[in-house]
């Protein structure tokens, strides 16, 4: 009987302490509309502080029917890594309406990574860096 009471007490204490040991990650979200880029085509930027395991979601206005597409380049440390890239269709059922390109990054190691996104027509002679978005992520 005494053994069961001690065992039950240990299980109760362990169950109360367990949640404090679980690592939780934060989600950092960026959502930039076409209007945002039209108003500030060259000055869109963010700086983030993150911890290993945090997720960073970047949504940028995109309209592939115009021939433009987003590309990005990372410089600095390899503190973040891309987990996913997708396209969200526009809410309106209007031909030619803009949707959003969506990237999900994960903070994977300590360091500082700079990501420069450019919205361009990729072919020779096409418009380059019509819109840009820069983010600096410091992972501690």
């Amino acid at each position: 009987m005494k053994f069961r009471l001690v065992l039950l007490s240990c299980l109760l204490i362990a169950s109360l302490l367990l949640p404090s040991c679980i690592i939780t990650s934060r989600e950092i979200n960026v959502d930039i509309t076409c209007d945002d880029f039209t108003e500030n085509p060259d000055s869109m930027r963010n700086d983030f502080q993150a911890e290993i395991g945090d997720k960073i979601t970047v949504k940028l206005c995109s309209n592939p029917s115009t021939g433009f597409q987003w590309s990005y380049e990372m410089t600095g440390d390899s503190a973040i890594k891309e987990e996913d890239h997708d396209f969200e269709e526009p809410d309106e059922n209007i031909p030619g309406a803009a949707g959003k390109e969506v990237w999900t990054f994960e903070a994977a190691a300590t360091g500082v990574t700079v990501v420069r996104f450019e919205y361009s027509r990729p072919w020779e002679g096409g418009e380059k860096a019509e819109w840009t978005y820069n983010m600096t992520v410091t992972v501690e």
Side-chain angles (χ1 to χ4, degrees), residues 23-36:
I23 298 172
T24 58
S25 62
R26 291 182 311 141
E27 290 189 20
I28 300 168
N29 296 298
V30 175
D31 192 349
I32 302 177
T33 67
C34 294
D35 290 338
D36 294 333

Side-chain angles (χ1 to χ4, degrees), residues 41-101:
D42 298 321
S43 62
M44 302 300 293
R45 70 170 291 112
N46 290 105
D47 298 326
F48 300 110
Q49 300 287 324
E51 295 179 2
I52 293 175
D54 288 355
K55 305 288 184 192
I56 303 159
T57 301
V58 177
K59 292 183 178 186
L60 302 176
C61 170
S62 181
N63 192 342
S65 68
T66 63
F68 280 92
Q69 65 185 33
W70 286 99
S71 62
Y72 74 85
E73 181 175 282
M74 285 194 222
T75 57
D77 304 319
S78 298
I80 64 172
K81 64 179 181 179
E82 181 183 328
E83 281 194 339
D84 191 35
H85 176 227
D86 203 2
F87 182 77
E88 289 183 356
E89 297 291 330
D91 291 335
E92 308 92 31
N93 195 11
I94 301 170
K100 293 192 177 184
E101 282 193 65

